[in-house]
């Protein structure tokens, strides 16, 4: 029994020494920090800057890279991609506008066309890392371009359009009828329970699946974003005319809403502006 106890104690001691040595070599291989080597990071993952101001896009990398090759790429809102920095130098389009320094990329001034995604790529020998930065160049809304048909017939499918082509970030839209704001969901409001329409606040559309006489009125649209004051287009009147049907089932629009050609009326059943 005494011999068995001594052997067991020796085995336990040897096991402890083995695990201690194994832990030492693991820590030695990671520099004792437990962090992953060759890391690329940023302190500005999303950057919002007013137009014509300067901007610093930060890109940090660990010392493991030594003296690496640093490249910057830009992807615009349409998905097109190009180099900003190639082989540690600004490309032709960005010369005089940007400056590469150890911890990032500096723009002297930014324009609305600089809005998009920037990728900082760091490489050295067989090692590579990258980080993405989203730059938003702030541009106040402009007066939106509104499309309202002057006249439509009852039962028609009609789409009113509203677009602010320059606001950044992209504007959201609100529609008004006779100066009163239209809620996005009319079914939730007593005053609009008889209305049937849909509003897309991101696309700026106001859609009537089947126009009624109650939809006639003056319409305007307001574009808004966080960069500046909202802008509204001038109100435009939409007249809704009743469609008359003969006993034969022929839909005959009233003369005020019909296009006359060779003595016959031709009706438009759908309106998209």
């Amino acid at each position: 029994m005494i011999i068995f106890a001594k052997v067991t104690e020796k085995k336990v001691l040897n096991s402890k020494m083995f695990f201690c040595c194994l832990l030492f070599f693991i820590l030695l291989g990671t520099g004792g920090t437990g962090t992953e080597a060759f890391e690329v990071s940023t302190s500005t993952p999303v950057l919002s800057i007013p137009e014509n101001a300067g901007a610093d896009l930060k890109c940090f990398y660990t010392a493991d890279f030594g003296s690496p090759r640093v490249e910057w790429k830009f992807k615009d809102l349409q998905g097109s991609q190009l180099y900003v920095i190639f082989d540690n130098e600004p490309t032709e389009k960005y010369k005089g506008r940007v400056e590469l320094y150890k911890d990032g990329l500096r723009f002297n001034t930014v324009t609305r066309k600089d809005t998009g995604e920037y990728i900082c790529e760091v490489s050295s020998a067989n090692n590579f890392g990258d980080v993405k930065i989203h730059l938003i160049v702030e541009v106040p809304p402009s007066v939106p371009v509104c499309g309202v048909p002057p006249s439509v017939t009852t039962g028609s499918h009609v789409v009113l359009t509203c677009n602010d082509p320059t606001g950044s970030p992209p504007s959201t839209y609100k529609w008004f009828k006779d100066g009163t704001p239209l809620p996005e969901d009319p079914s939730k409001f007593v005053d609009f329970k008889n209305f049937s329409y849909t509003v897309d606040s991101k696309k700026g559309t106001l859609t009537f699946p089947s126009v009624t006489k109650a939809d006639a009125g003056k319409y305007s649209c307001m574009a808004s974003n966080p960069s500046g004051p909202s802008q509204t287009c001038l109100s435009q009147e939409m007249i809704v005319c009743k469609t008359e049907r003969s006993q034969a089932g022929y839909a005959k629009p009233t003369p005020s809403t019909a296009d006359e050609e060779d003595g016959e009326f031709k009706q438009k059943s759908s309106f998209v502006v």
Side-chain angles (χ1 to χ4, degrees):
M1 291 297 294
I2 296 175
I3 295 175
F4 178 77
K6 288 183 178 180
V7 172
T8 302
E9 183 179 351
K10 186 175 181 180
K11 287 183 177 181
V12 171
L13 180 61
N14 288 340
S15 297
K16 288 182 178 180
M17 290 179 64
F18 171 76
F19 284 113
C20 287
C21 291
L22 179 62
L23 178 61
F24 170 77
F25 284 114
I26 291 175
L27 293 175
L28 182 65
T30 60
T33 63
T35 59
E36 184 179 355
F38 304 105
E39 182 181 0
V40 180
S41 61
T42 183
S43 60
T44 56
V46 179
L47 197 59
S48 187
I49 302 293
E51 188 172 32
N52 299 320
D56 274 350
L57 284 63
K58 299 294 186 180
C59 179
F60 308 108
Y61 49 88
T62 55
D64 310 74
F65 282 100
S67 299
R69 177 190 180 108
V70 178
E71 295 178 345
W72 283 81
K73 295 177 181 177
F74 169 60
K75 182 186 293 185
D76 64 21
L77 298 179
Q78 287 71 45
S80 298
Q81 185 169 284
L82 53 81
Y83 279 99
V84 179
I85 300 291
F86 181 78
D87 197 16
N88 295 344
E89 293 291 335
T91 57
E92 188 66 29
K93 182 177 180 180
Y94 289 92
K95 283 183 178 179
R97 291 192 60 215
V98 302
E99 174 190 353
L100 180 67
Y101 63 103
K102 182 182 181 301
D103 293 330
L105 179 70
R106 178 177 292 115
F107 277 84
N108 296 330
T109 60
V110 291
T111 71
R112 61 195 66 189
K113 292 183 179 180
D114 295 321
T115 293
E117 183 179 72
Y118 291 80
I119 305 100
C120 175
E121 297 180 346
V122 182
S123 57
S124 177
N126 296 323
N127 303 302
F128 175 85
D130 66 359
V131 69
K132 296 177 180 178
I133 300 168
H134 187 64
L135 175 65
I136 302 170
V137 179
E138 301 171 2
V139 181
S142 60
V143 176
V145 179
C146 298
V148 179
S151 64
V152 296
T153 53
T154 55
S156 299
H157 179 273
V158 178
V159 180
L160 280 60
T161 59
C162 181
N163 179 49
D164 165 22
T166 61
S168 178
S171 290
T172 56
Y173 303 94
K174 179 181 287 292
W175 279 94
F176 297 80
K177 180 191 175 192
D178 298 326
T180 300
L182 295 176
E184 291 192 29
D185 187 352
S187 65
K188 295 182 179 180
F189 297 86
V190 176
D191 293 342
F192 295 89
K193 64 180 181 180
N194 294 325
F195 288 77
S196 177
Y197 64 81
T198 57
V199 174
D200 190 322
S201 61
K202 292 184 178 180
K203 293 182 178 179
T205 55
L206 171 60
T207 303
F208 297 93
S210 181
V211 169
T212 68
K213 292 288 289 184
D215 296 322
K218 291 185 177 181
Y219 289 87
S220 61
C221 172
M222 181 174 66
S224 304
N225 77 12
S227 304
S230 300
Q231 299 285 349
T232 304
C233 66
L234 293 175
S235 61
Q236 303 174 47
E237 186 170 10
M238 183 176 75
I239 299 173
V240 179
C241 303
K242 183 178 180 181
T243 301
E244 297 179 355
R245 292 185 177 275
S246 65
Q247 292 181 352
Y250 172 70
K252 180 180 179 182
T254 59
S256 62
T257 61
D259 295 327
E260 188 172 359
E261 183 178 338
D262 297 330
E264 295 183 359
F265 291 108
K266 293 187 177 181
Q267 178 190 7
K268 295 181 180 179
S269 60
S270 180
F271 297 82
V272 177
V273 180

